């Protein structure tokens, strides 16, 4: 036998709707009941006051007072036929008929009826207690007598000319007439209650729709789980996450985004006025291509940013901007490039080294010892592995020798001669090879690219390096020049990975100088081919300048160059990157340069 499927619990919005409807119905019913009860009490008090007024009128009638006094003095009570035909009965029935009262009853001092609408009750004891009225007090009552439930009053009848009570007058109005009056008044009450109920139901439905829209149709348990998951994800990942709501305000700005951008929590701020790079804002504009990644520099960090549209059941929730830190990857890539360059150079020189050994072995085997000694002397002067870099001996630091030599091999393969300038003199040791590699490598690569793209037949790149002592370590000065066409406008044939190629068939040197600073902007590239998204183009010079300025130095343009050559001249200053140089050696450097 197949089990019936378990009943699905009602959705929270449905439960809320039913609860609201129940509350509205309860409030309307209670309000209607209270209003009806208050109306009933009001009508009852009006009936009591009307009965009291009529009873006073009858009791104060002189003829009634005399007749009641006369009957009270007699022994016994007159028989019913006599009372029925007497004046008291006529007065009482006349008053009852005129006012529509249920009854008008007159009694003697003992409570026996002298006038009553029912002739059979004449001469009998009244059904309700007349003691308070016979004691001289006026009272209002609501009770049930022989004629049914009523709201009435009892008033004493005083003897003429004295304060002695000789009887009482009871007047009552049927409560059924009160209910009939309430039935006439209940119609507006019912209409008001029905209108309130309909308004409450409509408000409940509108509130339910708004609740569903605000919660995206999620149940409270789902919302709670979602909040816990969001906190765990947003605060537990190293990627920066920025949520931009559909109204243009920042809804999420997690701790990683604050750390990567160096900003406090910007949640709640307008996105367009937020102090974040413009490249991030451009990712969320209507004309932006969703999913494209761009590289930006924030402080000393290289970030990869991308943005995606956030949708829920076709509802636009805004944008989600992701930030990934690629600073360490950039540094590692630069180091690997340097290692790869030097490895390539060493492999290229391995064959030359092997040939040199074979040559020496050949001289020794044929007994040409003097020629072998001369050959070894020449090798000692130039080194066993000769890089194609002119005046490389001016670099005393092994790291700079190896790195510049490897760059020379790489440039030689592209038809560019890399040479060391005559003013070069480095006597200290490089202590920050990673920063030096990043700055020097970018400048050399850009210069080689510019020389290749230039129009001069003789392609060359010249590098001058000079270190000087300082209180926190030596400062390395780097100057790089090339044979390219300068920084005039116009795309180069190949601007290189950093987009800082130098070329231009038209434009003066002055115009090039005016626009030179633009090449340090993030994302600037003059590459003829479009940059690959996230490929690092347009970041090399910007990153080099950021790194140098973070150390207290700078990267700037000394000469913008001109078409036909020579090309641009860049200068970088890197404080605290060398050690082992003294003030005395610095004076010696000055003397050497002067000589």
């Amino acid at each position: 036998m197949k089990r019936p499927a378990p009943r699905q619990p009602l959705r929270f919005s449905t439960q809320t709707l039913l609860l609201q409807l129940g509350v509205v119905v309860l409030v309307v019913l209670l309000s209607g009941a209270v209003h009806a009860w208050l109306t009933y009490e009001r009508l009852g008090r009006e009936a009591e006051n009307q009965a009291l007024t009529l009873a006073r009128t009858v009791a104060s009638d002189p003829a009634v007072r005399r007749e009641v006094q006369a009957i009270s003095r007699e022994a016994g009570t007159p028989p019913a036929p006599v009372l029925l035909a007497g004046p008291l009965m006529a007065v009482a029935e006349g008053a009852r008929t005129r006012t529509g009262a249920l009854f008008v009853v007159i009694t003697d001092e003992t409570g026996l009826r002298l006038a009553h609408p029912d002739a059979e009750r004449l001469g009998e004891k009244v059904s309700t207690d007349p003691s308070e009225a016979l004691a001289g007090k006026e009272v209002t009552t609501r009770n049930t007598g022989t004629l049914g439930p009523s709201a009435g009053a009892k008033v004493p009848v005083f003897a003429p000319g004295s304060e002695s009570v000789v009887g009482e007058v009871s007047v009552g109005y049927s409560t059924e007439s009160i209910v009939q009056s309430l039935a006439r008044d209940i119609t507006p009450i019912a209409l008001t209650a029905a209108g309130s109920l309909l308004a409450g139901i409509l408000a409940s439905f509108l509130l339910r729709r708004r609740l569903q829209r605000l919660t995206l149709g999620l149940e409270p348990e789902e919302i709670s789980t979602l909040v816990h998951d969001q906190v765990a994800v947003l605060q537990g990942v190293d990627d920066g996450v920025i949520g931009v709501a559909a109204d243009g305000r920042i809804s999420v700005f997690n701790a990683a985004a604050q750390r990567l951008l160096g900003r406090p929590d910007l949640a709640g701020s307008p996105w367009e006025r937020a102090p974040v790079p413009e490249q991030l804002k451009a990712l969320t504009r209507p004309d932006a291509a969703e999913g494209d990644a761009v590289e930006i520099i924030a402080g000393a960090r290289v970030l990869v940013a991308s943005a995606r549209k956030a949708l829920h059941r076709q509802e636009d929730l805004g944008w989600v901007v992701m930030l990934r830190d690629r600073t360490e990857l950039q540094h590692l890539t630069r180091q690997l490039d340097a290692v790869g360059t030097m490895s390539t150079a060493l492999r290229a020189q391995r064959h030359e080294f092997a040939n040199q050994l074979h040559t020496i072995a050949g001289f020794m085997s044929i007994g040409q010892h003097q020629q072998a000694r001369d050959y070894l002397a020449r090798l000692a002067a130039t080194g066993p592995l000769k890089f194609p870099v002119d005046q490389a001996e001016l670099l005393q630091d092994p790291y700079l020798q190896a790195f510049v030599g490897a760059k020379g091999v790489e440039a030689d393969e592209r038809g560019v001669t890399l040479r060391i300038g005559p003013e070069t003199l480095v006597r200290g040791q490089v202590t920050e090879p990673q920063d030096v590699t990043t700055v020097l490598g970018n400048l050399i690569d850009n210069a080689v690219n510019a020389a290749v793209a230039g129009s001069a037949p003789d392609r060359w790149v010249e590098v001058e390096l000079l270190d000087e002592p300082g209180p926190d370590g030596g400062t390395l000065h780097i100057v790089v020049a090339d044979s390219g066409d300068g920084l005039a406008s116009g795309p180069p044939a190949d601007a290189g990975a950093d987009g800082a190629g130098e070329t231009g068939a038209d434009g003066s040197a002055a115009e090039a100088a005016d626009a030179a600073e633009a090449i340090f902007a993030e994302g600037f590239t003059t590459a003829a081919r479009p940059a690959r998204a996230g490929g690092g183009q347009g970041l090399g010079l910007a990153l080099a300048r950021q790194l140098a300025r973070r150390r207290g130095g700078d990267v700037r343009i000394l000469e913008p160059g001109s078409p036909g050559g020579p090309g641009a001249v860049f200068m970088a200053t890197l404080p605290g990157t060398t050690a082992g140089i003294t003030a005395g050696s610095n004076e010696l450097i000055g003397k050497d340069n002067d000589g």
Side-chain angles (χ1 to χ4, degrees), residues 50-94:
Q50 188 176 359
L52 181 60
T53 301
L54 181 58
R56 286 173 178 172
T57 302
V58 174
S60 61
D61 188 342
V64 171
R65 296 172 68 179
R66 288 192 301 269
E67 186 66 23
V68 173
Q69 181 184 31
I71 294 175
S72 297
R73 288 176 178 177
E74 296 177 357
T77 302
V82 175
L83 294 173
L84 182 61
L88 293 179
M89 190 66 177
V91 172
E93 284 301 299

Side-chain angles (χ1 to χ4, degrees), residues 489-521:
S489 60
D494 185 1
D498 294 314
E502 309 163 21
T503 185
D506 300 316
S508 65
E511 293 174 345
D514 294 337
E517 286 297 310
I519 68 174
F520 290 103

Side-chain angles (χ1 to χ4, degrees), residues 41 58 135 158 160 228 278 325 354 380 395-396 437 529 575:
E41 286 295 312
V58 174
F158 296 97
H228 285 89
E278 285 298 322
D325 191 357
L395 299 174
Q396 297 187 11
T437 297
R529 292 168 296 182

Side-chain angles (χ1 to χ4, degrees), residues 359-360 363-364 367-381:
T359 301
I360 295 172
F363 282 138
M364 298 299 293
Q368 297 294 329
H369 302 291
Q370 184 58 41
Q371 292 186 7
R373 283 194 294 271
D374 295 340
Y375 187 70
L376 285 174
R378 289 196 301 272
L379 290 180

Side-chain angles (χ1 to χ4, degrees), residues 223-415:
I223 296 176
S224 176
T225 302
L226 186 62
V227 170
H228 285 89
D229 292 345
Q230 179 186 13
V231 172
V233 171
L234 293 182
Q235 305 303 328
V237 297
D238 292 332
D239 293 346
V241 179
I242 304 175
V244 182
D247 61 357
R249 291 190 171 272
I250 300 176
S251 57
V252 176
F253 202 84
N254 72 339
Q258 299 173 36
R259 174 176 54 83
L260 294 177
L261 295 177
R263 299 292 179 184
D265 190 0
L266 299 178
S269 304
W271 173 241
E272 286 299 325
R273 296 200 298 270
V276 298
E278 285 298 322
Q279 295 96 319
L280 292 182
K281 299 177 183 178
L283 291 174
T284 62
R285 296 201 171 105
D287 57 347
E290 183 177 354
D292 281 357
V294 297
E295 288 187 346
I296 63 173
I297 294 180
R301 297 181 182 274
V302 179
L303 307 179
V304 177
S306 61
R308 292 193 178 277
K309 200 71 175 173
L311 299 173
H312 180 79
R313 299 176 183 174
Q314 305 303 318
E315 182 178 358
D316 184 4
L317 303 181
W319 290 87
V320 177
V321 180
M322 299 294 297
L323 301 174
R324 298 175 181 86
D325 191 357
R326 288 194 58 181
T327 307
E328 297 300 328
L329 182 59
Q330 285 281 351
H331 291 168
L332 181 60
T333 301
R334 179 61 62 183
Q335 288 180 334
L336 291 177
D337 288 344
V339 172
T341 301
M342 287 187 284
S343 299
T344 302
L346 290 176
R347 282 196 300 270
Q349 296 293 332
R350 181 174 59 86
H351 297 288
E352 182 181 352
F353 183 71
N355 292 334
Q356 292 170 353
L357 290 179
H358 286 302
T359 301
I360 295 172
F363 282 138
M364 298 299 293
S365 63
I366 63 176
Q368 297 294 329
H369 302 291
Q370 184 58 41
Q371 292 186 7
R373 283 194 294 271
D374 295 340
Y375 187 70
L376 285 174
R378 289 196 301 272
L379 290 180
T382 60
L385 297 179
K386 178 173 172 46
F387 289 115
V389 178
D390 295 340
Q391 305 188 79
E393 64 275 5
L394 296 177
L395 299 174
Q396 297 187 11
D397 179 72
Y399 177 81
L400 289 177
Q401 288 180 356
F403 182 72
V404 175
K407 285 294 182 182
V409 173
E410 194 176 63
D412 186 63
E413 292 177 351
R414 301 183 64 185

Side-chain angles (χ1 to χ4, degrees), residues 85 93 100 103 165 206 215 228 260 282 330 338 346 415 419 428 431 455-456 463 495 498 570:
E93 284 301 299
F103 60 84
V165 178
L206 294 178
T215 61
H228 285 89
L260 294 177
Q330 285 281 351
L346 290 176
R419 64 192 184 209
T431 57
S455 58
V463 179
D498 294 314
F570 286 83

